[in-house]
Amino acid sequence: MSDIKIKITDREGVVHEVDAPTDMNMNLMEVVRSYELAPEGTIGICGGMAMCASCQCYVNSDHKLPDLSDDEDAMLAEAFNVKDNSRLGCQIHMTEDLDGLEVELAPES
Ligand code: FES
């Protein structure tokens, strides 16, 4: 299996069910960009280095995600609109375990 299905709610509240490849070393921020679910320049500003929080999203399904890295934790501590289920999309790598993942993009800040 190389594709998983992910439900992404964009910043307008529209739900998109998309296929994400697991064999291209993509992260969630890159998936959002590849489907153009957020305007260019509003997501992935740091290029996926856990340094901007523009890719923040809320994880609404109960998938077991890898623990926060120190960098991700530190960035979320400074970000706006952070909730208990906030993660940085660029730190979520597409793997088969994430089939059915449901996320919502955090507001642009
Ligand atoms: S793209 Fe900058 S923190 Fe994820």
Side-chain angles (χ1 to χ4, degrees):
M1 185 168 106
S2 60
D3 275 5
I4 56 174
K5 297 236 180 266
I6 301 191
K7 261 191 199 162
I8 302 170
T9 305
D10 68 21
R11 292 175 178 142
E12 256 76 82
V14 181
V15 180
H16 305 265
E17 186 159 7
V18 303
D19 291 320
T22 57
D23 55 1
M24 288 175 63
N25 199 22
M26 278 178 98
N27 62 50
L28 182 62
M29 173 275 281
E30 291 166 333
V31 172
V32 171
R33 286 178 62 141
S34 71
Y35 284 98
E36 300 180 0
L37 302 183
E40 195 59 42
T42 67
I43 186 165
I45 293 166
C46 74
M49 306 292 289
M51 286 169 58
C52 72
S54 66
C55 64
Q56 185 192 170
C57 59
Y58 308 123
V59 178
N60 291 330
S61 53
D62 52 13
H63 287 73
K64 173 93 186 90
L65 294 172
D67 290 339
L68 292 168
S69 66
D70 291 346
D71 287 347
E72 183 177 4
D73 199 26
M75 189 64 241
L76 284 172
E78 289 175 22
F80 297 101
N81 305 305
V82 174
K83 301 185 190 175
D84 288 346
N85 60 346
S86 287
R87 293 296 300 250
L88 296 179
C90 67
Q91 304 300 301
I92 301 178
H93 291 275
M94 296 297 102
T95 58
E96 290 181 12
D97 321 347
L98 298 186
D99 191 36
L101 185 72
E102 295 182 21
V103 299
E104 182 182 343
L105 301 184
E108 200 184 332
S109 54

